[in-house]
Amino acid sequence: MKPRTTGVCSKSAEDNAARWRRDFPLLSTRSHGQPLAYLDNAATTQKPRQVIDAISRYYKTGNANVHRGSHDLSNRATTAFEQARSTLARWLGIDNAATLIWTRGTTEAINLVAQSWGNTHIKPGDRILLLQSAHHANIVPWQLLAQRTGAVIDVIPLQDDNNVDLDAYRRLLQRTPKLVALTHVSNVLGTRYPIKQMCRDAKSAGACVLVDGAQALPHFDVDLSLIDCDFYAFSGHKLFGPTGIGGLWGRQDLLESMPPWQGGGEMIEQVSFTETRYAGLPFKFEAGTPNIAGTMGLSAAINYLQKDRTAQEAQEQMLMHHALSACSQVPGFQALPGGDQPAALFSFLLKGFHQQDIAHWLDQKGIAVRAGHHCAMPLMQSLGLPGTVRASFAFYNTLDEAERLALALDELISSQQSQIDVPTVTAPTLNTDPVYDANHWDERYRALMQLAEQVERLPASLQQPEHQVPGCESRVWLITALDDQGRLACRADADARILRALVTLLLQRINGLTPAEATEVDLEAMLASLDLQRHLSPSRGNGLLAIVRHLKTFARSPHS
């Protein structure tokens, strides 16, 4: 790795990071005995004391339901609740706060539009235009709408550099879609799309436009008065605010014409058993008791961001570029292109390593990243990838953390190169003692990774969907069979090394047994003895249990 850049800029960046980090209590914790390097900010950000204190203060001194009470405490809660809405509206360039609807987050906001506006306006044969790199939250609600209405979905492709293909986009607009659902910033690639231009083009084609802003607002200010969209959705927990709160902005005329999507208290003006008159904006779309404390926390987060926004954005860009520069020196490292003006995140591959194995290795080093398809499976399919590792930065990250990421990846490469080259052998002759004899998890992890390299792989002809075990975080193929003596002779493979090793251990315990004998083997206890649950992600642990259930089901099934 190249030495860190020195000078005034670097010193200033480190001073800023140190100042900001003091506001985030969780960042001082440790993970697996290492200082935590939290590089999973695109999934959710950490929360400053100001946000935590605002939520605590509400529950300690102002807890009451809003809009409905006739007492002082409720009036004060209502005032603070609506002030939070006004704070967000001003920040987003919204001139009428009543057009800002509280939701649980981006997903609920998009579903609100799909259910209310979509059910009213989309008819059979209408076209819905989606972006290739969209998050599932900006795909699935529109698929459900298309299924309900008979609409047709078209997809805007990306170029090789992962910028949007604007020529293809304009050709698709010639089909006069009723709805165009866009993404401001890709949660996988970091690509910042030309949203103003795309919205103008869509409006010129007569389309209604929704923008998913979940990954944009954490990184830069957005003035909705300058974006010609009809709806803008966002989440608070990515904005250094609490979970369970977010918002939908919509054009006033559209919102007023849309029917409620949920019924109950708060969203009504008058109810009888023969007729209900609905409340005006924003309450028509806010049935039930809202997340009052969440709005207080989100308002505090916005107030916090507004103090140093320019410096924070510059810090994030510097960190991302520094991390990319350091990681690019690691053999086999490949970052996916992020377009012309990427936000502070990147997805990458490491030649010869499955993304889940990489993330697990980094986790043991105290580095939190995200691995998988990132809720963007159509994008991964278009790229021909099962998934990637994603490192995403916030202003409170440091140069040291960026360099720790590169160093850990380099150590992973070195750890595999230093292993003894053992010829591929079949499962019955494998020596699995190092796995069971390991004194600590690092030693066991290395033994598992080395075991995976010795396991005979399934041929491609058997790595087919019909043999894939559902419920696994990685792809696992399991061939259940009996030999000519009626004993288990199962085979398995996985694209992640650690799962390949673990499923090999499972098969080693039951292969050669009769089905009746296999049902008596406590595979869960064997896995527990390896202390896996503390070190594997819940989804990966659940995947292992899914494999165990699959094996037991086969052993218990009738065999002719």
Side-chain angles (χ1 to χ4, degrees):
M1 288 175 49
K2 295 179 182 177
R4 180 185 304 180
T5 301
T6 58
V8 176
C9 181
S10 177
K11 180 66 165 60
S12 174
E14 291 177 335
D15 289 345
N16 280 338
R19 174 168 57 88
W20 290 321
R21 287 175 74 85
R22 287 193 289 269
D23 292 329
F24 292 81
L26 190 139
L27 297 179
S28 62
T29 62
R30 301 177 75 84
S31 177
H32 298 295
Q34 305 281 339
L36 173 65
Y38 186 77
L39 304 182
D40 194 21
N41 294 285
T44 195
T45 51
Q46 298 306 325
K47 320 307 174 191
R49 297 180 191 277
Q50 290 84 341
V51 169
I52 298 169
D53 290 347
I55 296 170
S56 177
R57 184 164 55 249
Y58 164 72
Y59 281 123
K60 287 179 178 178
T61 66
N63 181 37
N65 216 328
V66 294
H67 299 135
R68 308 173 193 177
S70 56
H71 52 82
D72 177 59
L73 196 58
S74 176
N75 290 334
R76 284 191 277 132
T78 299
T79 298
F81 179 76
E82 292 303 331
Q83 283 178 344
R85 195 191 308 269
S86 296
T87 296
L88 267 290
R90 285 193 301 272
W91 183 59
L92 292 169
I94 300 169
D95 57 3
N96 181 2
T99 58
L100 177 61
I101 313 300
W102 294 123
T103 67
R104 289 184 299 160
T106 307
T107 298
E108 185 171 84
I110 295 173
N111 275 274
L112 188 163
V113 177
Q115 294 279 347
S116 180
W117 182 90
N119 285 349
T120 304
H121 292 86
I122 299 297
K123 308 300 180 187
D126 285 346
R127 307 194 86 89
I128 298 172
L129 190 51
L130 307 180
L131 188 60
Q132 182 73 62
S133 57
H135 189 283
H136 294 165
N138 208 11
I139 298 175
V140 179
W142 308 119
Q143 288 179 330
L144 293 172
L145 176 62
Q147 291 167 9
R148 291 194 302 269
T149 62
V152 179
I153 289 177
D154 293 319
V155 180
I156 310 164
L158 303 180
Q159 297 175 322
D160 291 342
D161 60 1
N162 289 327
N163 281 310
V164 67
D165 187 335
L166 288 174
D167 290 336
Y169 174 54
R170 292 180 181 121
R171 287 194 297 271
L172 289 168
L173 287 176
Q174 292 174 9
R175 300 179 181 181
T176 61
K178 276 286 187 69
L179 174 79
V180 176
L182 301 174
T183 300
H184 205 155
V185 171
S186 168
N187 71 301
V188 178
L189 307 166
T191 311
R192 181 174 174 174
Y193 298 110
I195 209 69
K196 294 180 183 179
Q197 179 181 347
M198 295 182 76
C199 286
R200 283 197 305 269
D201 290 345
K203 298 296 288 183
S204 296
C208 180
V209 186
L210 176 140
V211 178
D212 171 359
Q215 292 294 338
L217 292 178
H219 299 294
F220 52 84
D221 286 345
V222 173
D223 187 342
L224 292 180
S225 68
L226 303 178
I227 299 177
D228 193 17
C229 65
D230 297 291
F231 300 101
Y232 197 92
F234 63 93
S235 296
H237 72 99
K238 299 181 189 295
L239 262 174
F240 309 92
T243 57
I245 188 67
L248 170 73
W249 170 80
R251 293 195 182 278
Q252 184 172 345
D253 57 334
L254 289 179
L255 292 174
E256 288 177 339
S257 69
M258 290 160 50
W261 80 305
Q262 292 179 332
E266 189 69 23
M267 48 76 68
I268 54 88
E269 181 179 292
Q270 177 69 38
V271 175
S272 71
F273 283 109
T274 58
E275 180 187 16
T276 295
R277 294 198 305 273
Y278 303 120
L281 297 177
F283 311 115
K284 179 171 67 170
F285 297 107
E286 294 180 355
T289 298
N291 183 354
I292 306 168
T295 66
M296 309 296 176
L298 182 52
S299 177
I302 301 311
N303 287 331
Y304 181 86
L305 287 175
Q306 288 179 308
K307 295 177 182 178
D308 285 317
R309 190 64 160 166
T310 302
Q312 289 166 352
E313 183 177 350
Q315 176 88 350
E316 291 178 352
Q317 286 293 308
M318 180 273 296
L319 288 167
M320 177 191 65
H321 289 297
H322 189 81
L324 275 172
S325 176
C327 289
S328 66
Q329 300 173 56
V330 177
F333 176 86
Q334 179 188 354
L336 273 61
D340 295 335
Q341 294 179 306
L345 65 92
F346 58 84
S347 283
F348 66 90
L349 309 171
L350 196 60
K351 186 177 181 180
F353 292 88
H354 188 271
Q355 68 271 6
Q356 298 292 347
D357 292 328
I358 300 168
H360 186 80
W361 171 271
L362 294 174
D363 179 52
Q364 300 305 305
K365 303 294 182 181
I367 303 170
V369 295
R370 182 71 41 152
H373 52 67
H374 313 295
C375 293
M377 293 180 74
L379 172 63
M380 293 299 166
Q381 291 163 3
S382 72
L383 297 172
L385 298 173
T388 66
V389 182
R390 182 185 68 196
S392 50
F393 298 85
F395 53 82
Y396 47 57
N397 290 123
T398 66
L399 287 167
D400 179 68
E401 290 174 337
E403 292 172 0
R404 280 177 59 194
L405 172 64
L407 180 61
L409 294 176
D410 195 56
E411 289 175 347
L412 176 58
I413 296 288
S414 299
S415 72
Q416 298 306 297
Q417 291 174 343
S418 65
Q419 291 179 357
I420 299 173
D421 186 17
V422 181
T424 298
V425 293
T426 56
T429 63
L430 290 172
N431 177 19
T432 57
D433 290 345
V435 175
Y436 296 104
D437 295 342
N439 294 316
H440 50 79
W441 177 251
D442 279 354
E443 185 179 328
R444 177 164 291 133
Y445 176 77
R446 291 175 184 270
L448 286 167
M449 295 292 278
Q450 187 165 6
L451 174 63
E453 289 301 300
Q454 302 173 37
V455 175
E456 184 179 20
R457 304 296 305 273
L458 284 178
S461 60
L462 293 179
Q463 292 183 2
Q464 299 299 322
E466 61 265 27
H467 299 308
Q468 206 165 321
V469 181
C472 295
E473 191 175 56
S474 308
R475 291 185 298 172
V476 176
W477 301 274
L478 181 61
I479 314 296
T480 49
L482 300 178
D483 62 19
D484 54 8
Q485 297 181 359
R487 297 179 179 276
L488 268 69
C490 302
R491 301 172 66 189
D493 200 354
D495 54 5
R497 296 187 195 185
I498 193 167
L499 269 182
R500 192 186 315 151
L502 290 170
V503 75
T504 297
L505 297 179
L506 293 174
L507 294 189
Q508 195 176 58
R509 285 296 181 96
I510 63 169
N511 273 345
L513 302 179
T514 66
E517 291 170 338
T519 60
E520 299 299 319
V521 178
D522 193 343
L523 295 175
E524 292 93 340
M526 185 271 283
L527 294 174
S529 71
L530 298 175
D531 195 26
L532 297 175
Q533 294 303 321
R534 284 200 307 125
H535 298 281
L536 297 183
S537 66
S539 54
R540 181 166 282 184
N542 292 337
L544 275 174
L545 296 179
I547 298 168
V548 170
R549 287 194 299 271
H550 202 85
L551 289 168
K552 287 188 173 181
T553 298
F554 173 72
R556 290 169 180 157
S557 62
H559 300 282
S560 57

